[in-house]
Amino acid sequence: MKLILAGGSGHLGNLLARSFHGGGDEVVVLSRQPVNLSSPEPLPYAAFMRILRESWGAPWGLPAARWMLAIGAFFLRTEPELVLKSRRVVPARLLQSGFTFLHPAWPEAARDLCARWREDAPRRRARRQPGF
């Protein structure tokens, strides 16, 4: 298997690279280089959310006003501009290194994500129950 290790120039990264390489895996280390973790086929946010709602089976979604995003971003300790401003980000370094995505297109990834979330629901509920 080919593994891509981002930030593998430090002590822990070297240990991981040696461990995987010793197991017969091919290891590519992208040291000290920022790596964009995004889909190879980026979408506008509206299309992203439409596909996610379709995958979940939600017939419609409420629009979010700027002030609503600001409140949510405050509690998530992030910036609302991450949703409001568009950036077309492509994982060029990963693709150049030979990384292959299990789900390169969002519709397939969203269906898989929703299916896994539903399958895992009983385990999540059991974890929340107080033990006796």
Side-chain angles (χ1 to χ4, degrees):
M1 178 185 335
K2 184 172 188 175
L3 301 167
I4 310 255
L5 185 60
S9 62
H11 180 69
L12 182 59
N14 285 328
L15 289 174
L16 284 171
R18 273 187 266 147
S19 172
F20 286 123
H21 189 64
D25 296 310
E26 179 187 352
V27 180
V28 176
V29 178
L30 302 175
S31 59
R32 298 178 190 212
Q33 298 176 7
V35 177
N36 288 322
L37 296 177
S38 65
S39 165
E41 300 177 18
L43 295 172
Y45 187 71
F48 175 89
M49 288 305 298
R50 180 182 46 76
I51 292 167
L52 183 58
R53 283 191 302 274
E54 288 170 0
S55 298
W56 187 255
W60 51 273
L62 295 173
R66 180 182 290 267
W67 64 269
M68 293 175 186
L69 293 173
I71 292 171
F74 173 79
F75 286 107
L76 292 173
R77 296 185 178 160
T78 187
E79 295 295 323
E81 280 73 29
L82 293 174
V83 174
L84 296 171
K85 292 184 179 177
S86 180
R87 305 264 193 285
R88 188 175 194 290
V89 178
V90 178
R93 287 200 174 107
L94 288 178
L95 294 172
Q96 290 166 357
S97 299
F99 184 84
T100 44
F101 287 81
L102 183 59
H103 304 294
W106 176 235
E108 181 186 343
R111 285 190 297 274
D112 183 63
L113 175 67
C114 292
R116 287 176 187 239
W117 183 262
R118 286 187 172 116
E119 288 171 7
D120 194 45
R123 190 179 65 78
R124 286 192 315 275
R125 276 195 289 274
R127 244 189 355 222
R128 286 191 301 230
Q129 298 297 324
F132 291 100

